[in-house]
Amino acid sequence: MPPPPAVMVAQSTGVSKSGSQQALGGGGNRYDQTADDWGEQQDDWDDDWDDDNDTYSEIGPGSSAAGRSNGQTQSYHQQQQQSATSSYYANANLPAPPPSDGDTMSLASVATTAGGGRSRAAGTGKIFSKSGDNYLMGMPVPDVSEADRVHVLLMEHGIVWKPMRDSYTVSVDSPKKEKKFNGLKSFIAYQLTPSFNNIPVARRYKHFDWLHERLVDKFCLIPIPPLPDKQISGRYDEEFVEHRRIQLQEFVDWVCRHPVLSTCGVWMHFLTCTDEKKWKTGKRTAEKDPLVGTMFCASVFPPEKTLLQSLVEPQVESAGQFVPQMDAAVKTLFAICGDQSKKFQVQWKKEYQRIGEGFSEMARALAVDERRAATQLSLSSSVGQAAGVFINIGQLFGEQPKHDFIPFSDRLHIYRGLLAGWPDTLGEYRNAVQKRKDCERLTAEQKMENVQMQEVNRRVDVMSYALLAEMSHFRAERDTHLKDTIRNFIGEQIEFYKSIVQKLEQAQTHF
Amino acid sequence: MPPPPAVMVAQSTGVSKSGSQQALGGGGNRYDQTADDWGEQQDDWDDDWDDDNDTYSEIGPGSSAAGRSNGQTQSYHQQQQQSATSSYYANANLPAPPPSDGDTMSLASVATTAGGGRSRAAGTGKIFSKSGDNYLMGMPVPDVSEADRVHVLLMEHGIVWKPMRDSYTVSVDSPKKEKKFNGLKSFIAYQLTPSFNNIPVARRYKHFDWLHERLVDKFCLIPIPPLPDKQISGRYDEEFVEHRRIQLQEFVDWVCRHPVLSTCGVWMHFLTCTDEKKWKTGKRTAEKDPLVGTMFCASVFPPEKTLLQSLVEPQVESAGQFVPQMDAAVKTLFAICGDQSKKFQVQWKKEYQRIGEGFSEMARALAVDERRAATQLSLSSSVGQAAGVFINIGQLFGEQPKHDFIPFSDRLHIYRGLLAGWPDTLGEYRNAVQKRKDCERLTAEQKMENVQMQEVNRRVDVMSYALLAEMSHFRAERDTHLKDTIRNFIGEQIEFYKSIVQKLEQAQTHF
């Protein structure tokens, strides 16, 4: 298939994608991505971002450094590792190296930059972007191995990703502050243990960040859950590290539940590679993956059946209305959670402690008078007990956000990131539809061959299938994951207020 | 007994009483009394303060105006009144008119003004003040009828007022906005119904205020519970009227539980008089009561046994430490109650409603997507239910202070007023002790006769007995009344948090 005529490139400039980005206040798929964030890569946190001196200890558990610092847990996992003969997933799963450069690719690259592709991809001079042009406009589709193929099924209840054969979980555990360069530099390595092999791997935030970038680049039709926000100060603070662990667990859980993400090569590499050499090879392979952006669709295998545009369009239209509304709602609740967390931790805690101190003051005053004439009943002591209970309730308030508002906001953070990704995803589809219209016109004017037009139609269908499958997945996730989230939130609030009742009942026994 | 020599008057200037007043931020027995408050008597609220045109409807239930506005309840009470042949307490209980003016009284009056008596009493040119001088320094003691006598008993557990023979309660009910002068003026009349005769009387705030002034003047050794604060604006507001009713009930309850206050003439007159003419007579009689201030001690009949100063002194000393500490504690808790009431009614209510609105926004967003593809599960509807529950919880927060913080603060208001009265009460005692020392010196210098000295000793003993009896009463009240108060407060908080748990459990059924 020849490269698309130049006129089409010009027409595709400024597709709806950029419009949807503006509606959500700008920003790319990483909703919290700002120029500053990227600038931070130069600071201490990211100083070894592309450090080829990565020590083995940062990748797998077998290094002496990790072995030393992880202690007992590590020993257990080492045994597990030795008993497991091999990983279920081999690096062979990683995509094949990209085809060698040629004229076609150079042209596609130019088209991408002109076509309003992601500034990040364009700016860093990447070969592939997410612009629909590459895939739709006749980029040659490389052979995709069976392992890398993604299937879409047409089920009774809708169009879905082919469900996972073996679902699994990954636990993100006990981060350790580790040291390298003879203790001159320290870093936090989280321990990831997949349920399918029970072999822990140590991963730093920067590894997650690298992985995240790969996933965002690769899956243009799948919004990727966000990582926890970057943070410069206090990142060795125990509470911060533990909270980030929980947030990373949320990220990992979401990926694990996704039929496409949970089986993709770069994720498996991230999850299982314990060998330094293989890590570097896999890393470079992933960075040169040709099936990124819309080209990912080359690995999507949907049903043969042609999709009616009248079936797809209303769904996309509806999603286009849903996404900004849901995004606004999630942001509102996220802000409320942050606000309430602070109020519980500071204000309400203080209020109840103040009540306690008031009672305590009264107890001390009563004690003065009870020294004058002691009676069997010591009101002073009763009031003192009540004081203690109220101070205690204050502490409950202070600790409560850890149980309800913060976990809730961690979940909302995931949705916030995903919802920020949806406009781009929908934009890719709208871009493709626009391209198809252009091609239809060209075909009508006999400037494009029918066979080419058929191929464009088929490829738009593939993208549509993928989009609808992802919409189904997101919907299903919401219906379980978001529901769980709210149930847990309410459940924790119930426990909280119950424990206040218990404390108060304890106080009441003194009166 | 001759009037005291001039030298003693000079020595008694600036007794500890004024010191204790300063420690509590000044103010007399009515802790919230300011010049402005008294100025307010000139405004509409108090314009008929000394209005001799008081209509019958303001005093008793028999008037046509009261009968009309009180409706059914009134009819019932009218029947009750008709069936009751006469009040258990007659106006005959009121003290006899004061003796005619003479040299002795004039001298005592001068001594009072010079001796640092209450500025209010002195300023208004009253014949008697609370200064200990009158009683101690030989004011002739009028005959006190058996009905007016107050007995102090020496019991195993201490010195106490002789307990009431028949305790009773008085309900303060359904205030009605009534009108007089052909509807040109309106006022609020509270309906007081004593349990001993079941005959309701209508009393306005100004009647309470008049009564309160009488009680404060009369009982120098008994701190009088305070009335609710005066208020100019919004005093016909339903919520304000109902709250004032509750506060007046607290005042009435305290008086009813007091062995001395609950049986005194002016209180009985206030509680039972339903006849306009008798009301005015009784009012003037009470205003001319000679047994006010320390002269009240003339009606106190304690045991004959001489009190050891070494027994009394430490008790007074201890009370002197207790009172300011307790006062500070009560003020702290009172401030907390006011603060929390506002926070519950405004902030916390808003916080929970905001959470509810956040969920509501999410429910609306989800509804958009559920229209696209309806499933059996409607997360939108579940989230909507949760939204309703949180808004509901917000309302609970808004209404809660009525059940816990406000009733608690109403009780604390009583203690605040009583504790503000205690320094004066203790000051009266200290003043008397100082006077006794002066007399002892004079006696040693043979400037005072032994028989006079013995009388002074006896009278100081009477005051000491009365003081210790009142201290016992206050202590006993605290041990039941304050205890009840805190138990109720905690109980209401328990109910509140339980109802939140119920609401949340209701929300959880949707997830």
Side-chain angles (χ1 to χ4, degrees):
Chain A
M1 193 159 102
V7 61
M8 283 183 59
V9 173
Q11 281 168 337
S12 74
T13 309
V15 290
S16 60
K17 174 161 58 172
S18 61
S20 68
Q21 282 179 350
Q22 279 173 348
L24 281 159
N29 184 284
R30 286 287 302 277
Y31 69 96
D32 55 341
Q33 210 64 62
T34 65
D36 277 356
D37 280 344
W38 290 102
E40 281 163 24
Q41 290 182 13
Q42 304 310 316
D43 82 354
D44 176 65
W45 178 241
D46 297 296
D47 60 353
D48 50 0
W49 180 262
D50 286 318
D51 184 359
D52 273 344
N53 292 323
D54 266 350
T55 58
Y56 182 65
S57 68
E58 295 186 55
I59 298 160
S63 81
S64 54
R68 258 184 279 117
S69 59
N70 282 357
Q72 267 201 317
T73 320
Q74 192 55 44
S75 304
Y76 168 75
H77 286 304
Q78 276 172 338
Q79 285 163 19
Q80 292 288 320
Q81 191 184 8
Q82 281 150 15
S83 67
T85 48
S86 73
S87 158
Y88 297 159
Y89 294 82
N91 277 353
N93 275 356
L94 284 180
S100 58
D101 280 359
D103 279 347
T104 316
M105 287 188 66
S106 302
L107 273 170
S109 176
V110 171
T112 299
T113 312
R118 304 195 170 203
S119 60
R120 182 176 153 196
T124 51
K126 285 193 171 295
I127 296 168
F128 302 102
S129 85
K130 276 196 175 181
S131 164
D133 300 5
N134 297 336
Y135 173 65
L136 276 186
M137 294 299 96
M139 276 287 289
V141 175
D143 264 352
V144 179
S145 68
E146 181 53 36
D148 282 341
R149 289 184 185 184
V150 169
H151 296 276
V152 175
L153 308 180
L154 182 56
M155 308 292 279
E156 204 179 334
H157 59 278
I159 290 158
V160 296
W161 298 116
K162 186 182 173 188
M164 285 178 274
R165 202 170 28 188
D166 306 302
S167 68
Y168 62 90
T169 56
V170 174
S171 69
V172 181
D173 287 315
S174 45
K176 300 278 179 192
K177 192 172 168 183
E178 299 188 359
K179 290 192 188 296
K180 62 180 185 177
F181 301 141
N182 289 327
L184 280 176
K185 285 177 63 70
S186 59
F187 58 90
I188 305 291
Y190 295 88
Q191 194 167 274
L192 276 66
T193 314
S195 62
F196 56 71
N197 67 359
N198 223 11
I199 299 170
V201 292
R203 295 289 181 261
R204 294 175 57 181
Y205 181 84
K206 68 167 192 174
H207 299 132
F208 274 98
D209 203 64
W210 172 84
L211 167 75
H212 191 268
E213 199 179 352
R214 295 287 79 66
L215 295 175
V216 168
D217 280 354
K218 184 167 174 65
F219 298 104
C220 80
L221 293 176
I222 300 176
I224 304 300
L227 290 178
D229 288 340
K230 291 194 178 192
Q231 178 159 337
I232 304 303
S233 62
R235 62 175 182 262
Y236 297 141
D237 175 61
E238 209 171 294
E239 213 168 312
F240 168 77
V241 167
E242 170 57 14
H243 185 213
R244 175 165 270 183
R245 182 193 69 74
I246 294 168
Q247 291 176 303
L248 290 173
Q249 180 74 65
E250 292 289 347
F251 167 80
V252 163
D253 286 350
W254 187 279
V255 174
C256 285
R257 286 193 309 268
H258 197 289
V260 178
L261 301 180
S262 67
T263 54
C264 80
V266 63
W267 169 250
M268 278 302 154
H269 176 62
F270 173 80
L271 217 53
T272 59
C273 185
T274 56
D275 177 275
E276 190 178 7
K277 263 202 162 170
K278 282 183 184 164
W279 172 260
K280 284 180 187 166
T281 314
K283 198 176 160 190
R284 280 184 208 115
T285 308
E287 282 160 6
K288 287 177 183 163
D289 184 358
L291 299 178
V292 299
T294 46
M295 281 307 287
F296 156 71
C297 294
S299 53
V300 174
F301 288 76
E304 285 299 319
K305 195 181 164 191
T306 304
L307 272 174
L308 286 173
Q309 206 190 329
S310 61
L311 185 142
V312 183
E313 204 52 59
Q315 305 248 22
V316 176
E317 209 46 53
S318 171
Q321 287 167 24
F322 163 67
V323 166
Q325 280 197 41
M326 186 69 179
D327 185 62
V330 164
K331 278 177 181 156
T332 300
L333 281 171
F334 186 83
I336 288 170
C337 285
D339 189 38
Q340 290 298 312
S341 292
K342 262 184 238 141
K343 279 180 180 149
F344 269 70
Q345 285 167 335
V346 182
Q347 190 198 344
W348 295 37
K349 176 181 176 181
K350 216 175 58 193
E351 307 279 16
Y352 269 84
Q353 289 186 335
R354 217 180 122 217
I355 296 173
E357 282 155 19
F359 277 119
S360 183
E361 191 182 348
M362 181 176 271
R364 285 194 302 275
L366 289 167
V368 169
D369 201 47
E370 285 173 9
R371 276 201 296 276
R372 173 174 71 84
T375 52
Q376 276 193 317
L377 170 94
S378 169
L379 188 58
S380 166
S381 136
S382 300
V383 174
Q385 297 284 350
V389 165
F390 278 97
I391 287 171
N392 225 290
I393 290 175
Q395 284 163 346
L396 286 184
F397 270 96
E399 286 157 21
Q400 181 56 14
K402 267 193 280 187
H403 305 295
D404 53 17
F405 284 109
I406 293 175
F408 189 23
S409 83
D410 286 341
R411 289 283 174 93
L412 290 171
H413 173 77
I414 297 280
Y415 283 94
R416 206 169 51 142
L418 291 165
L419 288 162
W422 270 105
D424 279 357
T425 297
L426 297 173
E428 291 288 357
Y429 167 80
R430 291 203 184 96
N431 191 19
V433 169
Q434 183 57 44
K435 277 267 150 16
R436 177 163 62 185
K437 275 188 192 155
D438 296 340
C439 291
E440 277 164 355
R441 192 168 42 76
L442 288 172
T443 308
E445 294 167 4
Q446 300 194 330
K447 289 177 185 165
M448 190 182 236
E449 289 171 31
N450 272 336
V451 64
Q452 272 182 312
M453 185 64 227
Q454 279 165 21
E455 183 60 22
V456 167
N457 273 332
R458 176 63 191 159
R459 292 194 180 193
V460 170
D461 266 12
V462 171
M463 286 181 74
S464 301
Y465 270 114
L467 177 67
L468 293 180
E470 183 55 21
M471 278 164 67
S472 294
H473 178 74
F474 187 62
R475 167 73 176 273
E477 275 290 290
R478 254 167 42 209
D479 280 356
T480 54
H481 181 255
L482 184 57
K483 197 178 151 187
D484 274 2
T485 301
I486 299 175
R487 184 178 49 233
N488 290 344
F489 171 71
I490 294 173
E492 288 293 342
Q493 287 241 316
I494 289 172
E495 288 313 307
F496 170 61
Y497 288 114
K498 272 188 180 166
S499 65
I500 291 182
V501 168
Q502 276 173 4
K503 295 268 173 209
L504 289 169
E505 280 171 343
Q506 182 189 322
Q508 213 184 24
T509 60
H510 298 285
F511 288 90
Chain B
M1 194 160 102
V7 60
M8 283 184 58
V9 173
Q11 281 167 339
S12 74
T13 309
V15 291
S16 60
K17 175 163 56 172
S18 61
S20 68
Q21 282 178 350
Q22 280 173 349
L24 281 160
N29 184 285
R30 286 287 303 277
Y31 69 96
D32 55 342
Q33 211 63 62
T34 66
D36 277 356
D37 280 343
W38 291 103
E40 282 163 23
Q41 290 181 12
Q42 304 310 316
D43 83 354
D44 177 65
W45 178 240
D46 297 296
D47 60 352
D48 50 359
W49 180 262
D50 286 317
D51 183 359
D52 273 343
N53 291 323
D54 266 350
T55 58
Y56 183 65
S57 68
E58 295 186 55
I59 299 161
S63 80
S64 55
R68 257 183 279 117
S69 60
N70 282 356
Q72 268 202 315
T73 320
Q74 192 56 41
S75 304
Y76 168 75
H77 285 304
Q78 277 172 337
Q79 285 163 18
Q80 292 288 319
Q81 191 184 6
Q82 280 151 15
S83 67
T85 48
S86 73
S87 159
Y88 297 160
Y89 293 83
N91 277 353
N93 275 356
L94 285 179
S100 57
D101 279 1
D103 280 345
T104 317
M105 287 188 65
S106 302
L107 274 169
S109 176
V110 171
T112 299
T113 312
R118 304 194 168 203
S119 59
R120 183 178 153 194
T124 51
K126 286 195 171 293
I127 296 169
F128 302 101
S129 85
K130 277 196 176 181
S131 164
D133 300 5
N134 297 336
Y135 172 66
L136 276 186
M137 294 299 98
M139 276 286 289
V141 174
D143 264 352
V144 178
S145 68
E146 181 54 37
D148 281 341
R149 289 184 185 185
V150 169
H151 297 275
V152 175
L153 307 181
L154 183 57
M155 309 292 278
E156 205 179 334
H157 59 278
I159 290 159
V160 296
W161 298 116
K162 186 182 173 187
M164 285 178 274
R165 202 170 27 187
D166 306 303
S167 68
Y168 62 91
T169 56
V170 173
S171 69
V172 181
D173 287 316
S174 45
K176 300 278 178 192
K177 192 172 167 184
E178 300 187 0
K179 290 193 188 297
K180 61 180 184 177
F181 301 141
N182 289 326
L184 281 175
K185 285 176 64 70
S186 58
F187 58 91
I188 305 291
Y190 296 88
Q191 194 167 273
L192 276 66
T193 314
S195 62
F196 56 70
N197 67 359
N198 222 13
I199 299 170
V201 292
R203 295 290 181 259
R204 294 174 57 181
Y205 181 83
K206 69 168 192 173
H207 299 132
F208 274 98
D209 203 64
W210 172 84
L211 167 76
H212 191 268
E213 199 179 351
R214 295 286 80 68
L215 295 174
V216 168
D217 279 355
K218 184 167 174 64
F219 298 105
C220 79
L221 293 176
I222 300 176
I224 304 301
L227 290 178
D229 289 340
K230 291 193 179 193
Q231 179 159 335
I232 304 304
S233 62
R235 62 175 182 262
Y236 297 140
D237 176 61
E238 209 171 295
E239 212 168 314
F240 168 76
V241 168
E242 170 58 13
H243 185 213
R244 175 166 270 184
R245 182 193 69 74
I246 294 168
Q247 291 176 305
L248 290 173
Q249 181 74 65
E250 292 288 347
F251 167 80
V252 164
D253 286 350
W254 187 280
V255 173
C256 285
R257 286 192 310 268
H258 197 289
V260 178
L261 301 180
S262 67
T263 55
C264 80
V266 64
W267 168 250
M268 278 302 154
H269 176 63
F270 173 81
L271 217 53
T272 59
C273 185
T274 56
D275 177 275
E276 191 179 5
K277 263 202 163 173
K278 282 183 185 165
W279 171 259
K280 283 180 188 167
T281 315
K283 197 176 159 189
R284 282 186 207 114
T285 308
E287 281 161 6
K288 287 176 183 165
D289 184 358
L291 299 179
V292 299
T294 47
M295 281 307 287
F296 156 70
C297 293
S299 53
V300 173
F301 288 77
E304 285 298 319
K305 196 180 164 190
T306 304
L307 271 174
L308 285 173
Q309 206 190 329
S310 61
L311 184 142
V312 183
E313 204 52 59
Q315 305 248 23
V316 176
E317 209 45 55
S318 171
Q321 288 168 24
F322 163 66
V323 167
Q325 280 197 41
M326 187 68 179
D327 185 62
V330 165
K331 278 177 180 156
T332 300
L333 281 171
F334 186 83
I336 288 171
C337 285
D339 190 38
Q340 289 299 312
S341 293
K342 261 184 239 142
K343 279 180 179 148
F344 269 70
Q345 285 167 336
V346 182
Q347 191 198 345
W348 295 37
K349 176 181 176 181
K350 215 175 59 194
E351 307 279 16
Y352 268 84
Q353 290 187 335
R354 216 179 122 217
I355 296 173
E357 282 155 19
F359 277 119
S360 182
E361 191 182 348
M362 182 176 270
R364 286 194 302 274
L366 289 167
V368 169
D369 202 47
E370 284 173 9
R371 277 201 295 276
R372 173 175 69 85
T375 52
Q376 276 194 317
L377 170 94
S378 168
L379 188 58
S380 166
S381 136
S382 300
V383 174
Q385 297 284 350
V389 165
F390 278 98
I391 286 171
N392 225 291
I393 290 175
Q395 284 162 347
L396 286 185
F397 269 97
E399 286 157 22
Q400 181 56 14
K402 267 194 278 186
H403 305 295
D404 54 16
F405 284 110
I406 293 174
F408 190 22
S409 83
D410 286 340
R411 289 283 174 93
L412 290 170
H413 172 76
I414 297 280
Y415 283 94
R416 207 170 51 143
L418 292 165
L419 287 162
W422 270 106
D424 279 357
T425 297
L426 297 173
E428 291 288 357
Y429 167 80
R430 291 202 184 96
N431 191 19
V433 169
Q434 183 56 45
K435 277 267 151 12
R436 176 162 63 185
K437 275 188 193 156
D438 295 339
C439 292
E440 277 164 356
R441 194 169 40 75
L442 289 172
T443 308
E445 293 167 4
Q446 300 195 329
K447 289 177 185 164
M448 191 183 236
E449 288 170 33
N450 271 336
V451 65
Q452 273 183 312
M453 185 64 226
Q454 278 165 20
E455 183 60 22
V456 167
N457 274 332
R458 176 62 191 160
R459 292 193 180 194
V460 170
D461 265 13
V462 171
M463 286 181 74
S464 302
Y465 269 114
L467 177 67
L468 293 181
E470 183 55 21
M471 278 163 67
S472 293
H473 177 74
F474 187 62
R475 167 73 176 274
E477 275 290 291
R478 254 167 42 210
D479 280 356
T480 53
H481 181 255
L482 184 57
K483 198 177 149 186
D484 275 2
T485 301
I486 299 175
R487 184 179 48 234
N488 290 344
F489 171 71
I490 294 173
E492 288 293 343
Q493 288 241 314
I494 289 172
E495 288 313 307
F496 170 62
Y497 288 115
K498 272 188 180 166
S499 65
I500 292 182
V501 168
Q502 276 173 4
K503 296 268 173 209
L504 289 170
E505 280 171 343
Q506 181 190 323
Q508 213 184 25
T509 60
H510 298 285
F511 288 90

